[in-house]
């Protein structure tokens, strides 16, 4: 069964690393820019009494590569411009980057050193390894929390499925269709638990009036239209072909769960309102089809993107089956015999959800 430690992205700078295959996620980070700038304008505004000369910013699920520092850099640049505009001295800035312990923190630390040298008001930087489903920071210590493309990762596979040995993706298409509502409900339930916990924990760590800007991969509506959520669905399809070819064992496949859930905007809104620690300042739902089509436009890009996101979790569960996985995935892309990949893309109504939140005092 999947544990948190396995869901980190592919490390390093190689061809299949997350660092080299995250342009799609980069586009999604860009959509957060104006919201982060608006938050900084509020926090640093002349009437704000929140900062007391210092601002602590954390990025949760930063991964490694060019995206790791993108959100905090946006915030720091906004602090600079805001203070220049108001002709006031910039606050001291502390930047903290979090991800799971197996993340490629070596690369992250080097870029943090560069950030500290190049940006005037940054006085302190640090990495905080650990799960964002646990306490990471001291109480009332953060002013701004950012998280991009990470909160769709669950803390674990849905217990309702693992306990009852229900496969997430049955190789029998008929059974799979029959079970889809149960499977989706189990994932939605796990997401609700995890996201509620995330909000509770961050509410403890943020100062009163503190802010969060998060983006996550979701779906456009609550309708269960999809065979399965896009990327995990494609990975499961490829692995199921490998089961029929006898490359992997069916029992092993049946106990493989990708702990990812793509919630709808309504799901996210409902959980935030029920949990009650935050008010929603703004929520945007974007259609990422253009970026997604670019990211998946050739077999090489398609496979590298899948490997960057899922290789660690696949290898952990099945052992080193990556050569076979790559061969099957390339074939899947180029043959796409029943148009299922296109169909999957169209049906999932994938969306990027971007939410700006303020801690309720
Ligand atoms: C798709 S990457 C996004 C990275 C970066 N924020 C971006 O937008 O490109 C998702 C990241 O979330 C991290 N992650 C997943 N679950 C996590 C958890 N429970 N705690 C901390 N980080 C987690 C993964 O390790 C991974 O680096």
């Amino acid at each position: 069964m999947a544990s948190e430690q396995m869901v980190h992205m592919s490390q390093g700078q190689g061809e299949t690393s997350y660092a080299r295959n995250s342009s799609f996620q980069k586009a999604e980070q860009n959509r957060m820019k104006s919201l982060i700038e608006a938050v900084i304008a509020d926090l640093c505004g002349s009437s704000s009494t929140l900062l007391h000369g210092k601002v602590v910013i954390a990025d949760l699920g930063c991964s490694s590569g060019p995206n790791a520092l993108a959100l905090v850099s946006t915030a720091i640049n906004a602090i600079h411009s805001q203070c220049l505009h108001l002709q006031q001295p910039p606050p001291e800035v502390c930047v903290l980057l979090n991800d799971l312990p197996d993340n490629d923190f070596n690369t992250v630390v080097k870029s943090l050193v560069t950030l500290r040298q190049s940006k005037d008001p940054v006085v302190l930087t640090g990495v905080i390894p650990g799960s964002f489903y646990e306490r990471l920071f001291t109480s009332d210590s953060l002013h701004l929390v950012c998280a991009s493309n990470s909160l769709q990762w669950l803390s674990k596979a849905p217990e309702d499925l693992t306990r009852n040995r229900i496969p997430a993706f049955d190789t029998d298409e008929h059974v799979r269709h029959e079970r889809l509502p149960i499977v989706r409900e189990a994932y939605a339930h796990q997401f609700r638990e995890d996201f509620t916990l995330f909000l509770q924990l961050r509410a403890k760590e943020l100062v009163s009036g503190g802010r969060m800007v998060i983006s996550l991969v979701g779906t456009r509506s609550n309708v269960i239209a999809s065979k399965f959520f896009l990327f995990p669905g494609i990975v499961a399809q490829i692995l199921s072909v490998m089961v029929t070819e006898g490359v992997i064992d069916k029992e092993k496949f049946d106990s493989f769960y990708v702990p990812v859930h793509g919630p709808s905007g309504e799901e996210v809104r409902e959980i935030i309102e029920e949990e009650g620690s935050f008010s929603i300042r703004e929520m945007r739902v974007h259609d990422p089809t253009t970026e997604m089509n670019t990211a998946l436009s050739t077999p090489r890009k398609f496979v590298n993107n899948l490997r960057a996101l899922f290789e660690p979790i696949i290898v952990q569960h099945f052992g080193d089956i990556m050569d076979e996985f790559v061969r099957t995935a390339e074939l899947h892309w180029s043959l796409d015999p029943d148009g299922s990949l296109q169909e999957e893309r169209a049906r999932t109504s994938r969306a990027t959800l971007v939410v700006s939140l303020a801690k309720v005092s």
Side-chain angles (χ1 to χ4, degrees), residues 204-352:
K204 289 205 177 92
E205 296 164 347
L206 277 157
V207 297
S208 173
R211 305 289 288 265
M212 283 211 284
V213 182
I214 57 173
S215 80
L216 65 165
V217 181
T219 43
R220 248 173 278 153
S221 80
N222 264 332
V223 180
I224 302 174
S226 162
K227 280 193 209 160
F228 201 65
F229 187 53
L230 182 66
F231 279 114
I234 293 173
V235 169
Q237 273 183 26
I238 293 164
L239 291 169
S240 75
V241 172
M242 292 168 71
V243 172
T244 50
E245 288 174 349
V247 178
I248 54 180
D249 184 52
K250 178 160 182 330
E251 246 178 73
K252 195 89 182 141
F253 176 69
D254 284 347
S255 62
F256 179 65
Y257 301 90
V258 181
V260 168
H261 174 67
S264 67
E266 296 90 77
E267 257 174 286
V268 168
R269 182 179 291 279
E270 206 179 282
I271 297 169
I272 294 168
E273 287 175 355
E274 249 172 45
E275 194 279 326
S277 304
F278 293 90
S279 65
I280 298 176
R281 290 293 177 95
E282 193 167 343
M283 181 187 281
R284 297 180 184 168
V285 180
H286 298 283
D287 175 359
T289 306
T290 313
E291 292 94 341
M292 198 161 65
N293 285 346
T294 312
L296 306 179
S297 61
T298 65
R300 174 64 61 89
K301 281 188 183 173
F302 171 66
V303 171
N304 285 352
N305 268 280
L306 288 183
R307 291 187 74 171
L309 291 169
F310 300 109
E311 180 161 345
I313 193 172
I314 293 173
V315 170
Q316 175 95 22
H317 188 82
F318 295 102
D320 192 2
I321 55 163
M322 288 321 288
D323 286 349
E324 275 302 312
F325 181 86
V326 169
R327 191 189 59 74
T328 316
E330 283 178 350
L331 211 62
H332 183 78
W333 188 94
S334 45
L335 293 181
D336 193 18
D338 53 357
S340 59
L341 185 54
Q342 314 299 335
E343 188 195 353
E344 189 81 24
R345 274 198 235 176
R347 280 202 197 182
T348 47
S349 317
R350 192 184 150 126
T352 304

Side-chain angles (χ1 to χ4, degrees), residues 166-178:
I166 299 174
F169 189 98
D170 207 289
T171 43
D172 181 316
E173 197 174 347
H174 177 69
V175 178
R176 188 160 73 237
H177 275 281
E178 295 264 289

Side-chain angles (χ1 to χ4, degrees), residues 23-329:
S23 57
F24 169 60
Q25 288 84 356
K26 174 83 199 153
E28 306 205 354
Q29 284 186 322
N30 288 340
R31 299 181 198 272
M32 301 166 75
K33 204 168 169 220
S34 60
L35 292 180
I36 293 176
E37 288 166 349
V39 165
I40 293 298
D42 283 353
L43 291 176
C44 298
S46 50
S47 58
S48 170
T49 51
L50 273 184
L51 296 188
H52 304 294
K54 61 176 193 301
V55 56
V56 183
I57 305 169
D59 182 332
L60 308 188
C62 64
S63 196
S64 60
N67 295 4
L69 263 64
L71 302 180
V72 293
S73 295
T74 297
I76 295 166
N77 292 337
I79 292 171
H80 257 296
S81 329
Q82 186 66 18
C83 292
L84 214 62
H85 174 68
L86 296 171
Q87 296 187 316
Q88 64 187 30
E92 293 181 349
V93 178
C94 170
V95 168
L96 301 169
L97 297 184
N98 152 265
D99 207 290
L100 293 167
D102 285 333
N103 183 51
D104 186 359
F105 279 115
N106 281 340
T107 317
V108 176
V109 166
K110 287 186 188 118
S111 34
L112 271 178
V113 172
T114 317
L115 175 89
R116 205 171 150 192
Q117 285 159 354
S118 64
K119 307 272 182 186
D120 257 355
V122 179
V123 293
L124 193 68
T125 58
V127 292
I128 313 285
S131 168
F132 48 54
Y133 296 122
E134 292 165 5
R135 276 295 296 277
L136 294 167
F137 309 96
T138 51
S139 333
D140 297 319
S141 63
L142 303 175
H143 298 92
L144 170 62
V145 167
C146 302
S148 58
N149 303 299
S150 50
L151 282 161
Q152 70 274 8
W153 288 93
L154 305 172
S155 66
K156 59 183 175 206
E159 263 178 29
D160 296 348
L161 301 183
T162 51
R163 204 183 325 110
N164 300 310
R165 295 175 182 264
I166 299 174
F169 189 98
D170 207 289
T171 43
D172 181 316
E173 197 174 347
H174 177 69
V175 178
R176 188 160 73 237
H177 275 281
E178 295 264 289
R179 284 222 188 107
L180 182 62
I182 299 173
V183 171
R184 196 181 188 288
E185 185 45 42
Y187 271 89
H189 180 73
Q190 188 64 49
F191 176 78
R192 178 172 286 274
E193 268 188 17
D194 285 342
F195 190 49
T196 301
L197 179 62
F198 176 85
L199 294 169
Q200 287 167 346
L201 296 167
R202 300 302 77 86
K204 289 205 177 92
E205 296 164 347
L206 277 157
V207 297
S208 173
R211 305 289 288 265
M212 283 211 284
V213 182
I214 57 173
S215 80
L216 65 165
V217 181
T219 43
R220 248 173 278 153
S221 80
N222 264 332
V223 180
I224 302 174
S226 162
K227 280 193 209 160
F228 201 65
F229 187 53
L230 182 66
F231 279 114
I234 293 173
V235 169
Q237 273 183 26
I238 293 164
L239 291 169
S240 75
V241 172
M242 292 168 71
V243 172
T244 50
E245 288 174 349
V247 178
I248 54 180
D249 184 52
K250 178 160 182 330
E251 246 178 73
K252 195 89 182 141
F253 176 69
D254 284 347
S255 62
F256 179 65
Y257 301 90
V258 181
V260 168
H261 174 67
S264 67
E266 296 90 77
E267 257 174 286
V268 168
R269 182 179 291 279
E270 206 179 282
I271 297 169
I272 294 168
E273 287 175 355
E274 249 172 45
E275 194 279 326
S277 304
F278 293 90
S279 65
I280 298 176
R281 290 293 177 95
E282 193 167 343
M283 181 187 281
R284 297 180 184 168
V285 180
H286 298 283
D287 175 359
T289 306
T290 313
E291 292 94 341
M292 198 161 65
N293 285 346
T294 312
L296 306 179
S297 61
T298 65
R300 174 64 61 89
K301 281 188 183 173
F302 171 66
V303 171
N304 285 352
N305 268 280
L306 288 183
R307 291 187 74 171
L309 291 169
F310 300 109
E311 180 161 345
I313 193 172
I314 293 173
V315 170
Q316 175 95 22
H317 188 82
F318 295 102
D320 192 2
I321 55 163
M322 288 321 288
D323 286 349
E324 275 302 312
F325 181 86
V326 169
R327 191 189 59 74
T328 316

